[in-house]
Amino acid sequence: MVSIRDVAKHASVSVATVSRVLNDKGYVSVETRKKVEAAIAELNYRPNEVARSLFKKQSKTLGLILPDIMNPFFPELARAIEDTAAKLGYTVILCNSDEDEEKAQRYLDILLQKYVDGIILASNTIREKTIRELNIPVVCIDREISKDIPTIVVDNKKGARTATQFLKDKGRKRIAHIRGPFDVSNANERCEGYLGIVSSEDWFTESYIINGNYHMETATKVALALLQSHPEVDGIFAANDTMAIGAMKAAYQHGLKVPEDISIIGFDGIALAKASIPELTTIEQPLYALGQKAAKVLIQLIEGQEIEKSFHQFDVQLVEREST
Amino acid sequence: MVSIRDVAKHASVSVATVSRVLNDKGYVSVETRKKVEAAIAELNYRPNEVARSLFKKQSKTLGLILPDIMNPFFPELARAIEDTAAKLGYTVILCNSDEDEEKAQRYLDILLQKYVDGIILASNTIREKTIRELNIPVVCIDREISKDIPTIVVDNKKGARTATQFLKDKGRKRIAHIRGPFDVSNANERCEGYLGIVSSEDWFTESYIINGNYHMETATKVALALLQSHPEVDGIFAANDTMAIGAMKAAYQHGLKVPEDISIIGFDGIALAKASIPELTTIEQPLYALGQKAAKVLIQLIEGQEIEKSFHQFDVQLVEREST
DNA sequence: TTGTAGGCGTTATCAC
DNA sequence: GTGATAACGCCTACAA
């Protein structure tokens, strides 16, 4: 690897001068600059980012900690973050935490040791205090940890209301809800939204709320049980698309036609929703925009720019397809 | 951030000694070691990886360049790679190349500047020469660039033969193929496999091979056109699952029932295949194992261990579900 | 306008 | 056994 010293020698100047033209800082005569640039080109020199990082105490690297990139919700987010980061000169380290606090903590340590400039975090196990102690900018996404930490989320409650109301408007009389995990904030918000619409209905009972874990298989199982015990159910709002697909499977297994016999609506707007047959009606999150925003805010924070506001709640949109 | 110097001072020893206990290298008396360890614990000291990297010229970081993490084929691969890397003490930088040579090249440069220790590459735009010039270990995955570069792939041809033969065995008489892009090696291999089974059939014509691009929408379009112009087609082997789903959509749009009127089989075994209704029969790749192997081989290469062989071709497995 | 030199936090080579 | 000290490649006072 050719170093700044080689360039200096080649151009018969000092390393300081080379550094100056490299960073466009300080005075350099046009002539010397040209000489240096020629040397750089000739030697195909590229500054060593590690040395730079050591000196500057920052690495132009972001950490991205999410539960599991295999969860179809995250790839689009990750892509948006990576795109935006790249555009702004940053690189991103991918970490899968599996919602495991210890694992997340380990990644946090490693990222710190590697001098990452900031972290984007989708987690419900990490607490505010831990984040504060990191002493580097952190942006939370999808899951809110504290109002005092920059956060990019979506209006879950409103989206859930929209979904439930939509089912009602479609003439559905008994609307059930497959909720997400209790320790995930958005799952609780979505459940609240659902309740906001149905809790005053005379038919409503708690048994219309069944517990899912955001995964398909479990959703199929619990939905099937629901359909068996409550054959009157004619509409399901699942707290995410994956579970909605699971519910569709359950409906078929139970001999029900979607959407003729039962309407199913999801939440998230992942690619899967468009790939299912019938295609899934869902509450679509602007996933790419969320990721983009997260990266932008984080980098602003890193670069010390003033942030207008730190809590961003995006709107969500009903996309009607074939399952309702 | 507390540095090795702070620890040294705290333990009243020299930095050299601290370094020795840190790396378990050289002689350190039990007593001093204990002192140092106490100081480390007390100050909660963690060595600075950047400084380490600078000195050692390696960063315990891997680069992962793939076309697009949003393509459902890649998350599982990425996850396996990240898991394995983490277990072995490495971290991974995610890069999306969009099959764009220039973009990939840019990432390569950046990764080099960051001293990554090795790169895992899924690309068909980068040439062998470019890889050689990197002067760091590279392993290719999913797409073969050269027999001389460590590569992890699957027996595409055989898998394609299996798929096509399976359709035949199911009694399908006119089997079409939606192929992948011409510049992707596995697409060509899969097409060859298909041809191996059908090219000698008397009904076979080139018009049974239609061009897809591994994406769903296009597949739906071309499959629909095929079904219209060739209503006799009763089986489709799509070169990947995403296109197989697209073909299912086309079948439904055309008024055909799957699998009653037409059988459809995919390739890859992505999660989507299990989520579709009906569930997709497919040729399943051991995705996680592939990623794991890639990471392991790369790290072996990095750590200078001898590699038994560098070209790994995994077997593929027919998974029969509901679409055939 | 340019060069010298010290330091970022580690590791490794020598002395002692 | 332990401690100075010179790298690693870069940046930035400070001098010249």
Side-chain angles (χ1 to χ4, degrees):
Chain A
M1 264 254 133
V2 19
S3 87
I4 196 172
R5 238 181 293 272
D6 303 317
V7 178
K9 210 169 294 175
H10 199 86
S12 333
V13 298
S14 75
V15 293
T17 306
V18 178
S19 176
R20 282 190 198 99
V21 347
L22 240 37
N23 301 293
D24 241 340
K25 226 174 225 172
Y27 301 100
V28 181
S29 75
V30 196
E31 217 174 327
T32 358
R33 154 163 279 126
K34 258 196 273 188
K35 261 200 308 188
V36 172
E37 276 163 352
I40 289 177
E42 208 162 322
L43 300 179
N44 190 24
Y45 165 75
R46 329 236 63 208
N48 178 325
E49 280 303 326
V50 176
R52 244 181 199 175
S53 294
L54 181 59
F55 183 87
K56 307 242 240 153
K57 291 180 182 309
Q58 47 144 307
S59 58
K60 290 279 179 185
T61 303
L62 271 26
L64 172 60
I65 301 184
L66 33 80
D68 181 8
I69 190 75
M70 281 167 67
N71 174 336
F73 177 78
F74 292 111
E76 187 164 351
L77 231 43
R79 175 69 212 249
I81 290 167
E82 203 273 308
D83 278 0
T84 312
K87 217 167 291 168
L88 298 174
Y90 290 76
T91 238
V92 0
I93 294 181
L94 177 67
C95 311
N96 297 96
S97 72
D98 284 323
E99 316 271 20
D100 176 341
E101 178 166 8
E102 208 179 317
K103 222 165 163 179
Q105 185 61 58
R106 208 162 35 236
Y107 275 121
L108 250 22
D109 286 346
I110 294 173
L111 293 176
L112 238 39
Q113 286 185 53
K114 296 211 172 182
Y115 269 169
V116 299
D117 301 335
I119 294 176
I120 294 177
L121 189 59
S123 163
N124 38 254
T125 57
I126 296 184
R127 294 187 329 283
E128 180 177 0
K129 181 162 172 288
T130 313
I131 296 179
R132 295 249 102 88
E133 289 169 354
L134 259 28
N135 278 316
I136 59 170
V138 172
V139 171
C140 291
I141 191 164
D142 184 45
R143 296 154 192 219
E144 179 185 331
I145 291 179
S146 153
K147 290 279 182 211
D148 296 330
I149 294 174
T151 301
I152 317 292
V153 283
V154 113
D155 194 338
N156 289 295
K157 200 161 170 183
K158 183 168 155 201
R161 274 198 305 260
T162 307
T164 315
Q165 184 62 50
F166 178 74
L167 256 24
K168 243 176 96 177
D169 293 346
K170 282 275 171 180
R172 297 307 174 172
K173 304 289 183 213
R174 296 293 138 90
I175 302 167
H177 175 53
I178 311 181
R179 56 159 298 144
F182 287 90
D183 54 2
V184 178
S185 53
N186 58 37
N188 294 323
E189 291 162 18
R190 289 172 199 177
C191 188
E192 280 170 34
Y194 160 79
L195 279 170
I197 301 295
V198 302
S199 61
S200 55
E201 304 277 331
D202 50 8
W203 53 260
F204 176 75
T205 77
E206 289 284 336
S207 58
Y208 280 133
I209 302 182
I210 57 178
N211 302 145
N213 58 357
Y214 275 164
H215 292 295
M216 196 177 76
E217 289 76 13
T218 312
T220 304
K221 217 177 312 166
V222 296
L224 196 56
L226 173 79
L227 295 175
Q228 282 159 354
S229 59
H230 294 274
E232 74 280 11
V233 165
D234 58 0
I236 295 180
F237 161 46
N240 76 354
D241 289 343
T242 312
M243 294 199 299
I245 306 268
M248 289 216 285
K249 286 190 184 294
Y252 285 112
Q253 285 174 27
H254 195 62
L256 261 29
K257 282 214 164 83
V258 179
E260 291 81 354
D261 304 322
I262 186 169
S263 291
I264 295 178
I265 186 168
F267 201 113
D268 283 351
I270 61 178
L272 203 60
K274 270 197 293 280
S276 77
I277 301 174
E279 296 185 5
L280 186 68
T281 295
T282 190
I283 301 294
E284 194 168 85
Q285 297 198 40
L287 293 175
Y288 197 90
L290 291 171
Q292 200 169 35
K293 189 69 176 182
K296 275 190 189 160
V297 168
L298 181 60
I299 291 173
Q300 283 187 314
L301 251 19
I302 289 169
E303 303 189 340
Q305 292 161 36
E306 272 318 305
I307 294 294
E308 357 41 281
K309 58 168 183 170
S310 83
F311 190 84
H312 294 265
Q313 190 172 50
F314 279 64
D315 238 326
V316 110
Q317 194 188 356
L318 173 72
V319 176
E320 181 171 7
R321 288 201 269 250
E322 303 162 357
S323 67
T324 49
Chain B
M1 264 255 132
V2 18
S3 85
I4 196 173
R5 238 179 291 272
D6 303 317
V7 178
K9 209 168 294 173
H10 200 85
S12 330
V13 297
S14 75
V15 293
T17 306
V18 179
S19 178
R20 281 190 200 99
V21 349
L22 240 37
N23 301 293
D24 241 339
K25 229 177 223 170
Y27 300 101
V28 181
S29 75
V30 195
E31 216 175 329
T32 6
R33 155 163 279 125
K34 259 196 273 187
K35 260 199 311 187
V36 172
E37 276 164 352
I40 289 176
E42 207 163 323
L43 299 179
N44 190 23
Y45 163 75
R46 329 236 62 210
N48 179 326
E49 280 303 326
V50 176
R52 252 184 191 168
S53 296
L54 180 60
F55 187 87
K56 306 244 236 148
K57 291 178 180 313
Q58 47 142 307
S59 58
K60 290 281 180 182
T61 304
L62 272 27
L64 171 60
I65 302 184
L66 34 79
D68 180 9
I69 190 74
M70 283 168 65
N71 174 336
F73 177 77
F74 292 110
E76 188 165 351
L77 231 44
R79 176 69 212 248
I81 290 168
E82 202 273 309
D83 278 0
T84 312
K87 216 166 292 171
L88 298 173
Y90 290 75
T91 238
V92 0
I93 294 182
L94 176 68
C95 311
N96 298 96
S97 71
D98 284 324
E99 317 271 19
D100 177 341
E101 178 165 7
E102 208 179 318
K103 224 167 161 176
Q105 185 62 58
R106 208 163 34 235
Y107 275 120
L108 251 21
D109 286 347
I110 294 173
L111 293 177
L112 239 37
Q113 286 184 54
K114 297 210 172 184
Y115 269 167
V116 298
D117 301 335
I119 294 175
I120 295 177
L121 188 60
S123 162
N124 37 255
T125 56
I126 296 185
R127 293 187 329 283
E128 180 177 0
K129 182 161 171 289
T130 313
I131 295 178
R132 295 248 102 87
E133 289 169 354
L134 258 28
N135 278 317
I136 60 171
V138 171
V139 350
C140 291
I141 191 164
D142 184 45
R143 297 154 193 221
E144 177 185 333
I145 291 179
S146 151
K147 289 279 180 210
D148 297 331
I149 294 174
T151 300
I152 318 292
V153 283
V154 114
D155 194 339
N156 289 294
K157 200 162 169 181
K158 184 168 154 202
R161 274 198 305 261
T162 306
T164 315
Q165 185 62 48
F166 179 75
L167 256 24
K168 243 177 98 179
D169 294 347
K170 281 276 169 180
R172 297 308 174 171
K173 304 290 183 212
R174 296 294 137 88
I175 302 166
H177 176 53
I178 312 181
R179 55 159 298 144
F182 287 90
D183 53 1
V184 177
S185 54
N186 57 36
N188 295 322
E189 291 161 20
R190 289 171 199 177
C191 187
E192 280 169 34
Y194 161 79
L195 279 170
I197 300 295
V198 302
S199 61
S200 56
E201 303 278 331
D202 50 7
W203 53 261
F204 178 72
T205 75
E206 289 284 337
S207 57
Y208 280 133
I209 302 182
I210 57 177
N211 302 144
N213 57 358
Y214 276 164
H215 292 296
M216 194 177 77
E217 289 75 13
T218 312
T220 304
K221 217 179 309 169
V222 296
L224 196 57
L226 172 80
L227 294 175
Q228 281 159 354
S229 58
H230 294 273
E232 74 280 12
V233 166
D234 58 0
I236 294 181
F237 162 44
N240 75 355
D241 289 343
T242 312
M243 294 199 299
I245 305 271
M248 289 216 284
K249 286 189 182 295
Y252 285 114
Q253 285 175 26
H254 196 61
L256 262 31
K257 282 212 162 84
V258 179
E260 291 81 354
D261 305 321
I262 186 169
S263 291
I264 295 178
I265 186 169
F267 201 114
D268 283 350
I270 60 178
L272 201 60
K274 271 196 292 281
S276 75
I277 302 176
E279 295 185 7
L280 186 66
T281 295
T282 189
I283 301 294
E284 194 168 84
Q285 298 197 40
L287 292 175
Y288 197 90
L290 291 171
Q292 200 169 34
K293 188 70 176 178
K296 275 189 190 161
V297 168
L298 182 61
I299 291 172
Q300 283 187 313
L301 252 18
I302 289 169
E303 303 189 340
Q305 292 161 36
E306 272 319 304
I307 294 294
E308 356 46 281
K309 60 171 186 169
S310 83
F311 190 85
H312 294 267
Q313 191 173 49
F314 279 64
D315 238 328
V316 111
Q317 194 189 357
L318 174 71
V319 177
E320 181 170 5
R321 288 200 269 250
E322 303 163 357
S323 68
T324 49

